[in-house]
Amino acid sequence: MSNSLNRRRWLRSLAASMSISALGASGGAPSGWLRQLAAGQSESPITQKNIILLWLNGGPATIDLWDLKPGHENGGPFQTCATRSPEIRFSEHLPQLAKCADQMAIVRSMTSKEGDHDRAVHLGRTGYVPQAGIDFPDLGALVAAEVGRDEGLLPSFVSIAPPQRGNFAGSGFLGPRFAPMNIAEFGNSPADLQVRNLHSPLIDLERRKRTKMVLGEMDRDFVQTHAGPVAQGYQAAQERAIRLMKPEAVAAFDLEREGEALRDRYGRNLFGQGCLLARRLVERGTSFVEVTLDGWDTHNDNFNRLQALSTQLDAAMASLVVDLRERGLLESTLVICQGEFGRTPKINVNAGRDHWPRGWSVALAGGGVGRGQVIGATTADGMAVDGDGYVVPDLIASVCTWLGTDYRKQNASNVNRPIRIADPDAKPIPGLV
Protein backbone atom coordinates (compact mmCIF):
# COMPACT_ATOMS: atom_id res chain seq x y z
CA MET A 1 0.00 0.00 0.00
CA SER A 2 2.76 2.41 0.91
CA ASN A 3 4.63 1.59 -2.31
CA SER A 4 1.50 2.41 -4.30
CA LEU A 5 1.10 5.71 -2.50
CA ASN A 6 4.73 6.61 -3.00
CA ARG A 7 4.44 5.81 -6.69
CA ARG A 8 1.44 8.05 -7.00
CA ARG A 9 3.20 10.92 -5.28
CA TRP A 10 6.24 10.42 -7.50
CA LEU A 11 4.11 10.45 -10.64
CA ARG A 12 2.26 13.58 -9.55
CA SER A 13 5.53 15.37 -8.85
CA LEU A 14 6.98 14.19 -12.14
CA ALA A 15 3.88 15.28 -14.04
CA ALA A 16 3.98 18.69 -12.39
CA SER A 17 7.65 19.24 -13.17
CA MET A 18 7.23 18.02 -16.76
CA SER A 19 4.22 20.29 -17.22
CA ILE A 20 6.14 23.31 -16.00
CA SER A 21 9.02 22.47 -18.32
CA ALA A 22 6.72 22.01 -21.28
CA LEU A 23 4.91 25.27 -20.60
CA GLY A 24 8.18 27.07 -20.25
CA ALA A 25 9.52 25.70 -23.52
CA SER A 26 6.49 26.15 -25.74
CA GLY A 27 4.06 28.34 -23.85
CA GLY A 28 1.31 25.85 -24.68
CA ALA A 29 -0.48 23.07 -22.83
CA PRO A 30 1.52 20.31 -21.18
CA SER A 31 1.75 16.86 -22.64
CA GLY A 32 -1.50 14.97 -21.93
CA TRP A 33 0.04 11.50 -21.60
CA LEU A 34 1.93 12.05 -18.37
CA ARG A 35 -0.89 14.05 -16.83
CA GLN A 36 -3.36 11.27 -17.64
CA LEU A 37 -0.98 8.71 -16.23
CA ALA A 38 -0.69 10.61 -12.98
CA ALA A 39 -4.42 11.25 -12.85
CA GLY A 40 -5.09 7.60 -13.49
CA GLN A 41 -2.81 6.65 -10.64
CA SER A 42 -4.48 9.04 -8.25
CA GLU A 43 -7.96 7.81 -9.18
CA SER A 44 -7.11 4.12 -9.03
CA PRO A 45 -8.67 2.77 -5.85
CA ILE A 46 -6.61 0.65 -3.53
CA THR A 47 -8.36 -2.61 -4.22
CA GLN A 48 -6.62 -4.80 -1.66
CA LYS A 49 -9.33 -6.27 0.53
CA ASN A 50 -8.93 -8.69 3.38
CA ILE A 51 -11.16 -10.86 5.53
CA ILE A 52 -10.70 -11.90 9.14
CA LEU A 53 -13.06 -14.67 10.20
CA LEU A 54 -13.59 -15.12 13.93
CA TRP A 55 -14.95 -18.65 14.11
CA LEU A 56 -16.88 -19.42 17.32
CA ASN A 57 -16.59 -23.17 17.27
CA GLY A 58 -19.37 -25.25 18.81
CA GLY A 59 -22.37 -23.12 17.91
CA PRO A 60 -22.61 -19.94 20.01
CA ALA A 61 -25.81 -18.97 21.79
CA THR A 62 -26.26 -15.81 19.75
CA ILE A 63 -29.47 -15.19 21.70
CA ASP A 64 -27.10 -14.33 24.59
CA LEU A 65 -24.72 -12.21 22.50
CA TRP A 66 -26.39 -10.16 19.77
CA ASP A 67 -30.14 -10.88 19.98
CA LEU A 68 -31.19 -10.93 23.62
CA LYS A 69 -34.80 -11.39 24.69
CA PRO A 70 -35.07 -9.37 27.90
CA GLY A 71 -38.20 -9.99 29.91
CA HIS A 72 -39.01 -13.28 28.17
CA GLU A 73 -38.57 -16.64 29.91
CA ASN A 74 -36.25 -17.72 27.07
CA GLY A 75 -34.03 -14.72 27.66
CA GLY A 76 -31.97 -16.03 30.55
CA PRO A 77 -30.27 -13.90 33.20
CA PHE A 78 -28.13 -11.65 31.00
CA GLN A 79 -29.02 -7.97 30.81
CA THR A 80 -28.63 -5.86 27.71
CA CYS A 81 -26.35 -2.87 27.41
CA ALA A 82 -26.73 0.19 25.24
CA THR A 83 -24.31 0.58 22.36
CA ARG A 84 -22.98 3.46 20.33
CA SER A 85 -25.76 2.77 17.83
CA PRO A 86 -29.14 3.70 19.35
CA GLU A 87 -31.08 0.83 17.81
CA ILE A 88 -28.67 -1.92 18.87
CA ARG A 89 -28.31 -3.51 22.28
CA PHE A 90 -25.76 -6.21 23.05
CA SER A 91 -25.19 -8.52 26.00
CA GLU A 92 -23.95 -6.78 29.11
CA HIS A 93 -20.84 -8.95 28.80
CA LEU A 94 -19.80 -7.24 25.54
CA PRO A 95 -19.14 -3.69 26.81
CA GLN A 96 -16.13 -2.99 24.58
CA LEU A 97 -17.93 -4.16 21.46
CA ALA A 98 -20.85 -1.95 22.44
CA LYS A 99 -18.50 1.00 21.88
CA CYS A 100 -17.80 -0.29 18.34
CA ALA A 101 -21.43 -0.94 17.37
CA ASP A 102 -21.45 1.97 14.95
CA GLN A 103 -18.80 0.07 12.97
CA MET A 104 -20.79 -3.17 12.98
CA ALA A 105 -23.68 -4.93 11.29
CA ILE A 106 -25.69 -7.69 12.95
CA VAL A 107 -27.65 -10.13 10.80
CA ARG A 108 -30.21 -11.59 13.20
CA SER A 109 -32.12 -13.75 10.73
CA MET A 110 -29.67 -16.46 9.71
CA THR A 111 -31.27 -19.88 9.36
CA SER A 112 -30.41 -23.39 8.21
CA LYS A 113 -31.54 -26.99 8.51
CA GLU A 114 -28.26 -28.39 9.78
CA GLY A 115 -28.23 -29.10 13.51
CA ASP A 116 -25.33 -31.55 13.47
CA HIS A 117 -21.93 -30.04 14.26
CA ASP A 118 -19.92 -31.57 11.40
CA ARG A 119 -22.54 -30.93 8.73
CA ALA A 120 -23.20 -27.40 10.00
CA VAL A 121 -19.49 -26.57 10.18
CA HIS A 122 -19.12 -27.77 6.61
CA LEU A 123 -22.07 -25.62 5.53
CA GLY A 124 -20.90 -22.60 7.51
CA ARG A 125 -17.42 -22.65 6.05
CA THR A 126 -18.02 -23.84 2.47
CA GLY A 127 -21.58 -22.73 1.76
CA TYR A 128 -22.60 -26.27 0.84
CA VAL A 129 -23.92 -29.25 2.76
CA PRO A 130 -21.60 -32.27 2.51
CA GLN A 131 -22.02 -34.24 -0.71
CA ALA A 132 -20.45 -37.63 -1.31
CA GLY A 133 -17.28 -37.44 -3.38
CA ILE A 134 -17.04 -33.63 -3.62
CA ASP A 135 -14.24 -32.02 -1.64
CA PHE A 136 -15.56 -28.48 -1.16
CA PRO A 137 -13.09 -25.70 -0.30
CA ASP A 138 -13.41 -23.40 2.70
CA LEU A 139 -14.25 -19.75 2.14
CA GLY A 140 -10.64 -18.91 2.98
CA ALA A 141 -9.36 -21.00 0.08
CA LEU A 142 -11.92 -19.47 -2.27
CA VAL A 143 -10.83 -15.98 -1.23
CA ALA A 144 -7.17 -16.93 -1.63
CA ALA A 145 -7.90 -18.22 -5.12
CA GLU A 146 -9.82 -15.11 -6.13
CA VAL A 147 -7.90 -12.23 -4.56
CA GLY A 148 -4.82 -13.79 -2.95
CA ARG A 149 -1.37 -12.51 -3.80
CA ASP A 150 0.36 -15.62 -5.02
CA GLU A 151 3.83 -14.08 -5.13
CA GLY A 152 3.64 -12.43 -1.72
CA LEU A 153 5.95 -13.29 1.13
CA LEU A 154 3.07 -14.51 3.27
CA PRO A 155 0.45 -17.15 2.54
CA SER A 156 -2.91 -15.88 1.33
CA PHE A 157 -4.85 -18.08 3.77
CA VAL A 158 -3.80 -18.50 7.40
CA SER A 159 -5.76 -20.43 10.01
CA ILE A 160 -4.97 -19.73 13.67
CA ALA A 161 -5.96 -22.45 16.15
CA PRO A 162 -7.99 -24.16 13.40
CA PRO A 163 -11.09 -26.08 14.43
CA GLN A 164 -10.81 -29.83 14.60
CA ARG A 165 -13.56 -30.91 12.29
CA GLY A 166 -13.48 -34.41 10.89
CA ASN A 167 -12.29 -34.91 7.35
CA PHE A 168 -12.85 -31.40 6.01
CA ALA A 169 -9.79 -30.07 4.23
CA GLY A 170 -9.28 -26.34 3.95
CA SER A 171 -8.52 -26.02 0.27
CA GLY A 172 -10.78 -28.81 -1.01
CA PHE A 173 -10.80 -29.28 -4.75
CA LEU A 174 -8.89 -26.03 -5.28
CA GLY A 175 -5.78 -27.94 -4.29
CA PRO A 176 -2.77 -27.41 -2.00
CA ARG A 177 -1.87 -24.09 -3.60
CA PHE A 178 -4.71 -22.48 -1.64
CA ALA A 179 -4.42 -24.57 1.51
CA PRO A 180 -4.26 -22.69 4.79
CA MET A 181 -1.09 -22.29 6.74
CA ASN A 182 -2.09 -23.58 10.16
CA ILE A 183 -0.72 -21.93 13.29
CA ALA A 184 -1.28 -23.19 16.85
CA GLU A 185 -2.93 -26.35 15.64
CA PHE A 186 -4.02 -28.11 18.84
CA GLY A 187 -2.76 -25.01 20.67
CA ASN A 188 -3.88 -23.95 24.14
CA SER A 189 -1.96 -20.79 24.97
CA PRO A 190 -0.31 -17.78 23.28
CA ALA A 191 3.01 -19.62 23.50
CA ASP A 192 1.66 -21.97 20.83
CA LEU A 193 1.45 -19.14 18.27
CA GLN A 194 4.73 -20.15 16.74
CA VAL A 195 5.57 -21.13 13.19
CA ARG A 196 7.92 -24.02 13.42
CA ASN A 197 11.01 -24.31 11.23
CA LEU A 198 11.01 -20.65 10.15
CA HIS A 199 14.36 -20.11 11.81
CA SER A 200 17.39 -22.07 10.66
CA PRO A 201 20.22 -20.85 12.87
CA LEU A 202 22.54 -23.58 11.65
CA ILE A 203 22.38 -22.39 8.03
CA ASP A 204 23.69 -18.93 7.14
CA LEU A 205 22.05 -16.80 4.48
CA GLU A 206 24.77 -17.33 1.85
CA ARG A 207 24.62 -21.08 2.21
CA ARG A 208 20.82 -20.92 2.05
CA LYS A 209 21.01 -19.05 -1.26
CA ARG A 210 23.33 -21.66 -2.74
CA THR A 211 21.09 -24.48 -1.52
CA LYS A 212 18.04 -22.77 -3.00
CA MET A 213 19.79 -22.38 -6.37
CA VAL A 214 20.74 -26.07 -6.50
CA LEU A 215 17.25 -27.15 -5.43
CA GLY A 216 15.70 -24.88 -8.05
CA GLU A 217 17.71 -26.45 -10.84
CA MET A 218 16.87 -29.96 -9.68
CA ASP A 219 13.16 -29.17 -9.32
CA ARG A 220 13.01 -27.50 -12.72
CA ASP A 221 14.35 -30.63 -14.39
CA PHE A 222 11.99 -32.84 -12.37
CA VAL A 223 8.87 -30.80 -13.16
CA GLN A 224 9.74 -30.70 -16.86
CA THR A 225 9.97 -34.50 -17.02
CA HIS A 226 7.10 -35.21 -14.58
CA ALA A 227 4.54 -32.60 -15.50
CA GLY A 228 1.41 -32.79 -13.38
CA PRO A 229 -0.39 -31.30 -10.40
CA VAL A 230 1.62 -33.23 -7.81
CA ALA A 231 4.99 -31.98 -9.06
CA GLN A 232 3.63 -28.46 -9.52
CA GLY A 233 2.10 -28.51 -6.05
CA TYR A 234 5.38 -29.62 -4.54
CA GLN A 235 7.29 -26.90 -6.33
CA ALA A 236 4.75 -24.23 -5.29
CA ALA A 237 4.90 -25.37 -1.66
CA GLN A 238 8.68 -25.27 -1.66
CA GLU A 239 8.79 -21.78 -3.17
CA ARG A 240 6.25 -20.60 -0.59
CA ALA A 241 8.28 -22.09 2.25
CA ILE A 242 11.46 -20.39 1.04
CA ARG A 243 9.70 -17.01 0.81
CA LEU A 244 8.45 -17.49 4.35
CA MET A 245 12.01 -17.80 5.64
CA LYS A 246 12.88 -14.24 4.59
CA PRO A 247 13.43 -12.01 7.64
CA GLU A 248 10.53 -9.66 6.87
CA ALA A 249 8.15 -12.62 6.61
CA VAL A 250 9.46 -14.13 9.85
CA ALA A 251 8.96 -10.77 11.56
CA ALA A 252 5.27 -10.73 10.63
CA PHE A 253 4.66 -13.56 13.10
CA ASP A 254 6.62 -11.97 15.94
CA LEU A 255 4.14 -10.62 18.49
CA GLU A 256 7.01 -9.42 20.69
CA ARG A 257 7.26 -6.44 18.32
CA GLU A 258 3.90 -5.16 19.57
CA GLY A 259 3.59 -2.95 22.65
CA GLU A 260 2.72 -4.53 25.97
CA ALA A 261 -0.35 -2.34 26.47
CA LEU A 262 -1.79 -3.30 23.07
CA ARG A 263 -1.18 -6.97 23.73
CA ASP A 264 -2.96 -6.62 27.06
CA ARG A 265 -5.99 -5.02 25.41
CA TYR A 266 -6.41 -7.92 23.01
CA GLY A 267 -6.23 -10.36 25.94
CA ARG A 268 -3.32 -12.53 26.92
CA ASN A 269 -4.98 -15.72 25.74
CA LEU A 270 -4.75 -17.77 22.57
CA PHE A 271 -7.75 -16.11 20.91
CA GLY A 272 -6.76 -12.56 21.85
CA GLN A 273 -3.19 -12.90 20.70
CA GLY A 274 -4.41 -14.78 17.63
CA CYS A 275 -6.54 -11.77 16.67
CA LEU A 276 -3.53 -9.50 17.10
CA LEU A 277 -1.54 -11.81 14.85
CA ALA A 278 -4.39 -11.69 12.33
CA ARG A 279 -4.10 -7.91 12.20
CA ARG A 280 -0.34 -8.15 11.62
CA LEU A 281 -0.84 -10.62 8.78
CA VAL A 282 -3.52 -8.71 6.85
CA GLU A 283 -1.44 -5.58 7.31
CA ARG A 284 1.36 -7.37 5.46
CA GLY A 285 -0.62 -8.91 2.63
CA THR A 286 -2.47 -12.02 3.79
CA SER A 287 -5.96 -11.98 2.27
CA PHE A 288 -7.82 -14.28 4.64
CA VAL A 289 -7.07 -15.06 8.27
CA GLU A 290 -9.31 -17.05 10.53
CA VAL A 291 -9.03 -17.25 14.30
CA THR A 292 -10.99 -19.88 16.21
CA LEU A 293 -12.40 -19.53 19.70
CA ASP A 294 -13.51 -22.98 20.83
CA GLY A 295 -15.91 -23.95 23.62
CA TRP A 296 -19.34 -22.67 22.52
CA ASP A 297 -21.07 -26.07 22.71
CA THR A 298 -22.88 -25.11 25.93
CA HIS A 299 -25.41 -27.86 26.59
CA ASN A 300 -24.57 -27.42 30.28
CA ASP A 301 -23.97 -24.33 32.38
CA ASN A 302 -24.53 -22.07 29.39
CA PHE A 303 -24.52 -18.75 31.17
CA ASN A 304 -21.39 -19.09 33.29
CA ARG A 305 -19.47 -20.47 30.32
CA LEU A 306 -20.83 -17.83 27.98
CA GLN A 307 -19.85 -15.04 30.34
CA ALA A 308 -16.23 -16.24 30.30
CA LEU A 309 -16.22 -16.73 26.52
CA SER A 310 -17.86 -13.33 25.98
CA THR A 311 -15.08 -11.66 27.96
CA GLN A 312 -12.47 -13.13 25.62
CA LEU A 313 -14.49 -12.29 22.52
CA ASP A 314 -15.25 -8.77 23.69
CA ALA A 315 -11.64 -7.79 24.38
CA ALA A 316 -10.19 -9.40 21.25
CA MET A 317 -12.78 -8.39 18.65
CA ALA A 318 -13.19 -4.85 19.97
CA SER A 319 -9.41 -4.34 20.06
CA LEU A 320 -9.17 -5.71 16.54
CA VAL A 321 -11.79 -3.28 15.23
CA VAL A 322 -10.17 -0.30 16.96
CA ASP A 323 -6.68 -1.35 15.90
CA LEU A 324 -7.73 -1.76 12.26
CA ARG A 325 -9.47 1.61 12.32
CA GLU A 326 -6.46 3.41 13.79
CA ARG A 327 -4.24 1.91 11.10
CA GLY A 328 -6.61 2.84 8.26
CA LEU A 329 -7.38 -0.79 7.53
CA LEU A 330 -10.96 -1.08 8.72
CA GLU A 331 -12.59 -0.09 5.44
CA SER A 332 -10.51 -2.62 3.50
CA THR A 333 -10.90 -5.40 6.06
CA LEU A 334 -14.14 -7.24 6.74
CA VAL A 335 -14.37 -8.96 10.12
CA ILE A 336 -16.93 -11.77 10.30
CA CYS A 337 -17.88 -13.35 13.63
CA GLN A 338 -19.92 -16.53 13.41
CA GLY A 339 -20.28 -20.18 14.36
CA GLU A 340 -22.11 -23.08 12.77
CA PHE A 341 -25.56 -22.37 14.26
CA GLY A 342 -27.28 -20.89 17.31
CA ARG A 343 -28.67 -22.54 20.40
CA THR A 344 -32.18 -23.27 21.63
CA PRO A 345 -34.13 -20.33 22.98
CA LYS A 346 -35.60 -22.62 25.62
CA ILE A 347 -33.20 -23.26 28.48
CA ASN A 348 -32.76 -26.95 29.28
CA VAL A 349 -32.72 -28.62 32.72
CA ASN A 350 -28.92 -28.32 32.88
CA ALA A 351 -29.05 -24.54 32.56
CA GLY A 352 -27.79 -25.03 29.03
CA ARG A 353 -28.95 -24.46 25.51
CA ASP A 354 -28.96 -27.10 22.78
CA HIS A 355 -28.43 -26.89 19.00
CA TRP A 356 -30.70 -24.46 17.15
CA PRO A 357 -30.16 -23.79 13.44
CA ARG A 358 -33.59 -22.24 12.81
CA GLY A 359 -32.65 -18.71 13.89
CA TRP A 360 -29.25 -17.29 14.77
CA SER A 361 -27.01 -14.26 14.25
CA VAL A 362 -23.79 -13.27 12.52
CA ALA A 363 -21.86 -10.14 13.50
CA LEU A 364 -19.75 -8.22 11.01
CA ALA A 365 -17.49 -5.23 11.39
CA GLY A 366 -15.56 -2.96 9.06
CA GLY A 367 -15.42 -3.35 5.31
CA GLY A 368 -17.90 -0.53 4.88
CA VAL A 369 -20.74 -2.85 5.97
CA GLY A 370 -20.51 -1.77 9.58
CA ARG A 371 -22.76 1.23 9.91
CA GLY A 372 -24.50 0.41 13.13
CA GLN A 373 -27.21 -1.58 11.48
CA VAL A 374 -29.33 -4.59 12.32
CA ILE A 375 -30.62 -6.75 9.48
CA GLY A 376 -33.51 -9.13 10.06
CA ALA A 377 -35.07 -10.27 13.32
CA THR A 378 -36.26 -13.26 15.28
CA THR A 379 -39.60 -13.54 17.01
CA ALA A 380 -40.07 -12.29 20.57
CA ASP A 381 -39.41 -15.77 21.95
CA GLY A 382 -36.45 -16.35 19.63
CA MET A 383 -37.98 -19.55 18.23
CA ALA A 384 -38.11 -18.49 14.58
CA VAL A 385 -36.97 -15.90 12.11
CA ASP A 386 -39.45 -13.07 11.82
CA GLY A 387 -39.79 -12.25 8.13
CA ASP A 388 -37.13 -13.07 5.55
CA GLY A 389 -34.40 -15.44 6.63
CA TYR A 390 -30.92 -15.66 5.15
CA VAL A 391 -28.80 -18.75 4.66
CA VAL A 392 -25.05 -19.26 4.63
CA PRO A 393 -24.80 -19.12 0.80
CA ASP A 394 -26.41 -15.67 0.97
CA LEU A 395 -23.70 -14.59 3.40
CA ILE A 396 -20.98 -15.97 1.10
CA ALA A 397 -22.57 -14.24 -1.89
CA SER A 398 -22.51 -11.00 0.12
CA VAL A 399 -18.85 -11.44 1.04
CA CYS A 400 -17.93 -12.14 -2.59
CA THR A 401 -19.84 -9.07 -3.75
CA TRP A 402 -17.92 -6.97 -1.25
CA LEU A 403 -14.66 -8.45 -2.52
CA GLY A 404 -15.61 -7.71 -6.13
CA THR A 405 -15.76 -11.42 -6.97
CA ASP A 406 -18.54 -13.03 -8.99
CA TYR A 407 -20.10 -15.50 -6.55
CA ARG A 408 -21.69 -17.31 -9.51
CA LYS A 409 -18.29 -18.22 -10.93
CA GLN A 410 -17.80 -21.93 -11.49
CA ASN A 411 -14.71 -23.88 -10.47
CA ALA A 412 -13.85 -27.36 -11.73
CA SER A 413 -14.31 -29.78 -8.84
CA ASN A 414 -12.44 -32.99 -8.07
CA VAL A 415 -15.24 -34.95 -9.80
CA ASN A 416 -15.07 -32.80 -12.94
CA ARG A 417 -18.35 -31.15 -12.09
CA PRO A 418 -18.45 -27.35 -12.14
CA ILE A 419 -19.27 -25.91 -8.72
CA ARG A 420 -20.22 -22.29 -8.20
CA ILE A 421 -18.49 -20.31 -5.46
CA ALA A 422 -21.87 -19.86 -3.79
CA ASP A 423 -24.91 -22.07 -4.22
CA PRO A 424 -26.87 -21.18 -7.41
CA ASP A 425 -29.83 -19.97 -5.32
CA ALA A 426 -27.70 -17.60 -3.23
CA LYS A 427 -28.36 -13.87 -3.25
CA PRO A 428 -26.46 -11.11 -1.44
CA ILE A 429 -28.17 -9.99 1.75
CA PRO A 430 -29.96 -6.69 1.03
CA GLY A 431 -28.49 -3.73 2.84
CA LEU A 432 -25.33 -5.55 3.91
CA VAL A 433 -23.23 -4.74 0.83
Side-chain angles (χ1 to χ4, degrees):
M1 186 182 297
S2 59
N3 289 340
S4 176
L5 289 170
N6 290 337
R7 187 167 175 236
R8 265 184 269 160
R9 292 193 189 102
W10 176 80
L11 281 166
R12 286 188 195 134
S13 301
L14 185 59
S17 61
M18 291 288 287
S19 298
I20 291 170
S21 298
L23 283 167
S26 64
S31 165
W33 173 80
L34 194 57
R35 185 174 55 194
Q36 290 173 15
L37 178 61
Q41 282 288 318
S42 63
E43 292 170 0
S44 296
I46 297 172
T47 56
Q48 178 179 322
K49 291 183 176 179
N50 316 296
I51 292 175
I52 297 176
L53 172 63
L54 307 182
W55 183 259
L56 309 185
N57 199 48
T62 55
I63 191 174
D64 299 316
L65 297 174
W66 320 110
D67 188 18
L68 278 71
K69 304 296 180 184
H72 194 281
E73 62 177 325
N74 293 345
F78 289 178
Q79 302 299 309
T80 65
C81 73
T83 72
R84 186 161 289 178
S85 185
E87 64 180 272
I88 304 179
R89 297 185 75 85
F90 289 164
S91 157
E92 61 180 317
H93 301 299
L94 300 173
Q96 299 303 315
L97 279 168
K99 299 175 184 175
C100 303
D102 58 338
Q103 310 287 327
M104 298 176 66
I106 311 297
V107 182
R108 287 179 172 163
S109 51
M110 297 296 297
T111 185
S112 86
K113 298 178 180 178
E114 300 298 336
D116 170 79
H117 282 296
D118 279 352
R119 289 181 62 86
V121 167
H122 187 281
L123 172 64
R125 299 171 60 84
T126 69
Y128 287 88
V129 295
Q131 297 178 33
I134 303 180
D135 192 7
F136 289 96
D138 275 10
L139 177 61
L142 290 164
V143 171
E146 292 299 319
V147 302
R149 289 161 286 278
D150 210 22
E151 300 303 319
L153 287 178
L154 299 174
S156 294
F157 178 14
V158 174
S159 181
I160 299 172
Q164 307 306 310
R165 50 195 173 97
N167 58 351
F168 302 137
S171 59
F173 57 68
L174 292 177
R177 181 179 166 195
F178 304 109
M181 176 182 181
N182 292 332
I183 298 174
E185 203 169 13
F186 309 107
N188 294 307
S189 74
D192 296 317
L193 291 170
Q194 300 290 326
V195 182
R196 288 175 293 180
N197 304 323
L198 273 190
H199 302 276
S200 299
L202 300 180
I203 303 178
D204 61 42
L205 289 177
E206 191 55 40
R207 185 178 173 188
R208 191 183 301 173
K209 288 180 182 176
R210 293 197 301 270
T211 303
K212 179 185 173 186
M213 185 175 65
V214 172
L215 276 175
E217 292 175 356
M218 293 172 64
D219 288 345
R220 191 161 41 250
D221 292 342
F222 181 79
V223 171
Q224 286 176 351
T225 55
H226 298 78
V230 174
Q232 292 170 0
Y234 167 77
Q235 190 176 39
Q238 187 184 78
E239 290 173 355
R240 190 167 72 169
I242 290 172
R243 289 201 300 270
L244 261 178
M245 296 180 71
K246 292 186 176 181
E248 54 269 43
V250 173
F253 298 93
D254 186 1
L255 292 177
E256 297 296 329
R257 294 172 182 252
E258 298 290 342
E260 294 296 316
L262 182 64
R263 295 190 67 182
D264 289 343
R265 284 201 294 274
Y266 272 88
R268 293 282 188 165
N269 50 67
L270 181 61
F271 182 68
Q273 298 301 291
C275 287
L276 175 56
L277 180 56
R279 190 272 289 161
R280 288 182 62 84
L281 294 176
V282 299
E283 193 174 32
R284 290 162 175 79
T286 297
S287 301
F288 191 101
V289 185
E290 64 176 6
V291 192
T292 297
L293 179 57
D294 205 357
W296 297 88
D297 196 10
T298 53
H299 292 280
N300 303 295
D301 195 21
N302 174 76
F303 300 100
N304 287 327
R305 293 170 63 187
L306 217 67
Q307 183 174 342
L309 288 164
S310 296
T311 300
Q312 288 190 56
L313 175 65
D314 186 52
M317 185 173 176
S319 297
L320 179 63
V321 172
V322 172
D323 204 4
L324 288 169
R325 185 178 63 206
E326 291 177 348
R327 291 167 184 271
L329 293 169
L330 190 58
E331 286 296 305
S332 58
T333 304
L334 179 62
V335 181
I336 308 170
C337 180
Q338 71 168 106
E340 59 263 43
F341 43 57
R343 306 199 77 81
T344 47
K346 291 186 180 299
I347 302 165
N348 67 26
V349 296
N350 298 313
R353 297 187 188 271
D354 304 311
H355 302 179
W356 192 254
R358 289 180 56 187
W360 45 287
S361 302
V362 170
L364 304 100
V369 308
R371 296 180 290 272
Q373 60 175 332
V374 171
I375 296 173
T378 53
T379 53
D381 59 3
M383 297 296 289
V385 168
D386 188 4
D388 293 334
Y390 301 107
V391 294
V392 172
D394 296 332
L395 180 63
I396 290 179
S398 304
V399 170
C400 289
T401 300
W402 176 76
L403 281 172
T405 294
D406 183 1
Y407 61 89
R408 295 159 296 195
K409 176 185 172 182
Q410 294 180 329
N411 288 307
S413 71
N414 56 306
V415 294
N416 294 321
R417 175 182 148 196
I419 302 290
R420 294 181 189 275
I421 292 178
D423 184 273
D425 294 329
K427 295 179 181 176
I429 298 172
L432 188 60
V433 292

